[in-house]
């Protein structure tokens, strides 16, 4: 392996040595190694079996303490909220989280940790962005950082996407054209090398092989063949990168339908371990062709989070968890707490984009 | 002419900077508004990329509020995911990156990671790079929106998230392994900046009506170069304001905010 080199980045910002990643410990995977991930894949039965199950069963089977959990979707687009709720109900400690840009999913996990760290905790996060876009910054993320409660590994959105893609390809890393010359070069786990071909500086990002990937897709058959309409985000890559993948589908369609248009399958059944049919699985996030995001609900949770960050008073936050997560057995119970008019409105706001289910 | 707000001035100036028949890679907020305004006026052939996946959508459901939302994907020509759109930038398909941030230095490097404290204990942690770091690296030219305040136009960033011209040396970007040519314009409501070809330092190109170069220098914590051809910023016409308010951001999500 070529020696680590670097761009002239140290001349630019005020970032000091103390803040730079300590490379003396060597590199370690924050989840399975490529070899371990492959072994898990090889051992799986490849039958076109019926993988339909409940979220409770799927989460119980795959989500354990200390795993690397990859969160699919992108900010408010198809966040796997139903699965996050179930993970919070079950509890899991020392999680590593991996995602590109997300909003309510990591905030919900962070809130669960702040409300009851003995039940759920986040150890470290590999990410590109954590916030609510138009709605504002993520208060709980800011709180965790200000109090050094999590270890961070910062990339760009393409960096995280390329890391999942590298794992989807069975590789150890991918060369990318970003991060170099920026401080991410000094703080993340990537590495600048000289290209073995041109001798030019080339940034490598390590693959990200999560233990468990959680995704919310438009439609899937019972075997796990998935269709995604609207932005794919990095869902296909995450499904292929993860050792195990739990998918919620807004609708389960027949295998015959899948075989009518095989080109529409974005995730093959071999990459999926559990399929749960769940309407509004991304609520309060959006699912193209089904519903838009519910800004009011996100604002309600965000205000409770902001109150906690500013005053340390967790009452409103606890109330949210008790009402909408711990007070529910299933995602349907959560949806039943919402006014019908809310669901009607977010369906209308999507405008019924054409999606192919037949 | 009607009064315009600072955000309307930024959006209008952003629109002016975008050329017709190019591709702009945008985030949410003012960059989208500027791009829609450009499409409705001088740049009908401007294509937009949103980072969650769409290339050249038709924004006929209104302004997207999230880069992956239904509105951002509506009637796109090509719609896949993050890998595909960022790979387009590496390959040279995107002419402009349109980004924002919390701090900028004289070489157009931008911080959107944290302010105060340290990286490991950030007093104020921002959301992070998101797409910005990749856009600034590989779209051909970067356009950066920043509030004109001395603490934001800083001599040294606390963290360099989105690459500009680095330390200003001629081969900084090449040594960083990035493909784009770098910062092109910095837009504020009171001034428009470019960059000097030889030194890569920020140059004041235009000032708002009634402002002088000295006024702008007072709000910048590093020494600005002043263009020998310093111009006055063009103000949005009544027609532009009507488009901005009624077509681009009718609900006032971004334009109706007040500057701190």
């Amino acid at each position: 392996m070529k020696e680590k080199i670097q761009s002239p980045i140290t001349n630019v910002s005020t970032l000091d040595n103390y803040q730079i990643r300590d490379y003396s410990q060597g590199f370690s995977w924050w989840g399975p190694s490529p070899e371990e991930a492959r072994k898990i894949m090889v051992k799986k039965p490849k039958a076109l079996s019926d993988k339909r199950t409940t979220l409770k069963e799927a989460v119980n089977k795959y989500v354990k303490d200390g795993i690397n959990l990859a969160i699919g979707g992108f900010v408010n687009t198809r966040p796997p909220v139903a699965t996050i709720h179930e993970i919070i109900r079950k509890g899991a400690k020392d999680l590593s989280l991996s995602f590109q840009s997300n909003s309510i999913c990591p905030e919900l996990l962070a809130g669960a940790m702040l409300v009851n760290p003995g039940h759920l905790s986040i150890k470290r996060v590999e990410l590109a962005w954590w916030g609510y876009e138009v709605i504002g910054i993520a208060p709980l993320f800011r709180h965790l950082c200000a109090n050094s409660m999590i270890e961070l590994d910062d990339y760009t959105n393409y960096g995280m996407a390329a890391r999942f893609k590298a794992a989807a390809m069975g590789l150890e890393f991918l060369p990318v054209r970003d991060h170099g010359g920026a401080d991410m070069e000094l703080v993340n786990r990537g590495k600048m090398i000289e290209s073995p071909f041109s001798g030019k500086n080339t940034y490598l990002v390590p693959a990200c092989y999560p233990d468990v990937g959680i995704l919310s897709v438009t439609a899937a058959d019972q075997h796990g063949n998935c269709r995604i309409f609207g932005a794919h985000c990095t869902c296909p890559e995450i499904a292929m990168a993860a050792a195990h993948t739990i998918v919620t589908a807004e609708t389960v369609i027949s295998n015959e339908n899948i075989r009518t248009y095989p080109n529409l399958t974005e995730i093959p059944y071999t990459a999926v371990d559990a399929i749960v049919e769940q309407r509004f699985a991304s609520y309060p996030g959006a699912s193209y062709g089904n519903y838009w995001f519910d800004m009011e609900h996100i604002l309600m949770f965000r205000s409770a989070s902001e109150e906690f960050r500013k005053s340390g008073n967790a009452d409103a936050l606890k109330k949210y968890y008790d009402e909408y997560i711990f007070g529910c057995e299933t995602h349907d119970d959560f949806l039943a707490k919402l006014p019908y008019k809310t669901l009607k409105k977010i369906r209308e706001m999507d405008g019924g984009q054409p999606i192919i289910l037949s | 002419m009607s009064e315009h707000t600072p955000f309307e001035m930024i959006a209008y100036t952003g629109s002016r900077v975008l050329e017709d028949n190019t591709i702009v890679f945008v985030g949410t907020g003012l960059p989208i508004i500027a791009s829609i305004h450009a499409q409705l006026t001088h740049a009908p052939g401007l294509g937009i990329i949103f980072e969650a996946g769409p290339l050249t959508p038709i924004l006929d459901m209104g302004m997207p509020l999230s880069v992956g939302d239904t509105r951002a994907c509506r009637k796109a020509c090509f719609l896949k995911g993050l890998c595909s759109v960022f790979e387009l930038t590496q390959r040279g398909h995107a002419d402009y990156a349109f980004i924002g941030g919390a701090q900028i230095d004289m070489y157009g490097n931008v911080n959107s990671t944290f302010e105060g404290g340290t990286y490991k204990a950030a007093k104020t942690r921002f959301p992070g790079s998101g797409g910005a770091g990749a856009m600034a690296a590989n779209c051909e030219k970067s356009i950066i929106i920043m509030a004109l305040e001395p603490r934001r136009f800083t001599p040294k960033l606390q963290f360099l998230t989105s690459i500009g011209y680095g330390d200003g040396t001629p081969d900084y970007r090449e040594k960083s392994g990035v493909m784009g040519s770098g910062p092109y314009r910095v837009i504020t409501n009171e001034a428009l900046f470019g960059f000097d070809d030889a030194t890569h330092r920020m140059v004041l190109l235009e000032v708002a009506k009634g402002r002088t170069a000295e006024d702008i220098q007072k709000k910048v914590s590093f020494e600005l170069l002043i263009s020998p051809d310093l111009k006055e910023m063009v103000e949005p016409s009544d027609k532009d304001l009507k488009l901005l308010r009624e077509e681009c951001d009718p609900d006032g999500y971004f334009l109706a905010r007040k500057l701190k």
Side-chain angles (χ1 to χ4, degrees), chain A residues 29-32 68 70 97-99 126 159-160 162-168 171-173 189 205-211 237-238 240-242:
Chain A
W29 298 101
W30 287 11
N68 185 316
L97 303 182
S98 49
F99 56 88
E126 31 195 336
M160 281 308 298
R163 297 187 60 212
F164 290 126
K165 184 172 185 167
L171 300 176
E172 276 194 22
F173 56 83
R189 294 186 298 140
V205 289
C208 179
Y209 289 85
D211 292 281
E237 289 86 353
I238 290 175
M240 305 285 271

Side-chain angles (χ1 to χ4, degrees), chain A residues 31-46 62 209-212 241-245 270 273:
Chain A
S33 69
E35 293 74 20
E36 287 161 351
R38 186 186 156 91
K39 264 186 204 151
I40 292 167
M41 189 68 227
V42 167
K43 272 192 187 163
K44 286 184 196 178
K46 309 297 191 306
Y62 297 112
Y209 289 85
D211 292 281
V212 177
H244 295 284
T245 302
T270 46
D273 297 271

Side-chain angles (χ1 to χ4, degrees), chain A residues 29-266:
Chain A
W29 298 101
W30 287 11
S33 69
E35 293 74 20
E36 287 161 351
R38 186 186 156 91
K39 264 186 204 151
I40 292 167
M41 189 68 227
V42 167
K43 272 192 187 163
K44 286 184 196 178
K46 309 297 191 306
L48 275 159
S49 60
D50 186 352
K51 293 173 187 166
R52 284 174 297 175
T53 181
T54 62
L55 270 178
K56 203 169 277 302
E57 281 177 22
V59 166
N60 260 327
K61 187 164 175 190
Y62 297 112
V63 178
K64 314 279 181 201
D65 290 351
I67 63 163
N68 185 316
L69 181 72
I71 303 171
F74 192 84
V75 195
N76 299 327
T77 296
R78 289 185 297 94
V81 175
T83 312
I84 289 286
H85 279 201
E86 192 53 48
I87 291 170
I88 293 171
R89 277 190 284 271
K90 177 182 189 268
K93 279 179 250 176
D94 295 324
L95 293 173
S96 296
L97 303 182
S98 49
F99 56 88
Q100 304 102 39
S101 290
N102 219 296
S103 57
I104 194 149
C105 290
E107 278 290 273
L108 280 168
L109 293 172
M113 167 172 167
L114 292 163
V115 165
N116 185 357
H119 180 67
L120 188 143
S121 58
I122 305 165
K123 180 179 171 191
R124 57 194 179 188
V125 186
E126 31 195 336
L127 81 166
W129 200 88
W130 180 340
Y132 286 107
E133 282 184 301
V134 61
I135 299 169
I137 61 110
L140 302 178
F141 176 47
R142 185 165 283 186
H143 177 88
L144 292 179
C145 293
N147 295 286
S148 302
M149 295 171 81
I150 47 175
E151 184 183 348
L152 293 172
D153 192 24
D154 270 276
Y155 298 84
T156 68
N157 271 332
Y158 182 58
M160 281 308 298
R163 297 187 60 212
F164 290 126
K165 184 172 185 167
M169 295 165 81
L171 300 176
E172 276 194 22
F173 56 83
L174 266 181
V176 293
R177 296 287 195 178
D178 53 2
H179 306 88
D183 278 326
M184 283 176 283
E185 182 186 327
L186 303 177
V187 300
N188 74 21
R189 294 186 298 140
K191 196 171 186 180
M192 185 79 90
I193 62 152
E194 278 178 8
S195 160
F197 303 105
S198 67
K200 288 186 174 179
N201 289 0
T202 304
Y203 202 71
L204 306 180
V205 289
C208 179
Y209 289 85
D211 292 281
V212 177
I214 58 172
L215 309 175
S216 167
V217 305
T218 321
D221 73 4
Q222 59 171 311
H223 312 304
N225 295 298
C226 301
R227 283 186 192 167
I228 300 173
F229 291 91
H232 292 169
C233 311
T234 312
C235 291
E237 289 86 353
I238 290 175
M240 305 285 271
H244 295 284
T245 302
I246 302 173
V247 173
T248 55
E250 293 289 327
T251 313
V252 170
I253 60 177
S254 73
N255 180 249
E256 194 189 331
N257 287 354
I258 288 286
R259 290 178 189 272
T260 307
Y261 300 107
N263 288 127
L264 292 183
T265 303
E266 294 297 340

Side-chain angles (χ1 to χ4, degrees), chain A residues 7-29:
Chain A
S7 72
I9 175 63
T10 47
N11 300 338
V12 187
S13 75
T14 61
L15 201 74
D16 57 27
N17 282 333
Y18 166 75
Q19 299 173 70
I20 293 173
R21 182 163 292 277
D22 177 8
Y23 290 93
S24 62
Q25 304 300 313
F27 176 83
S28 64
W29 298 101

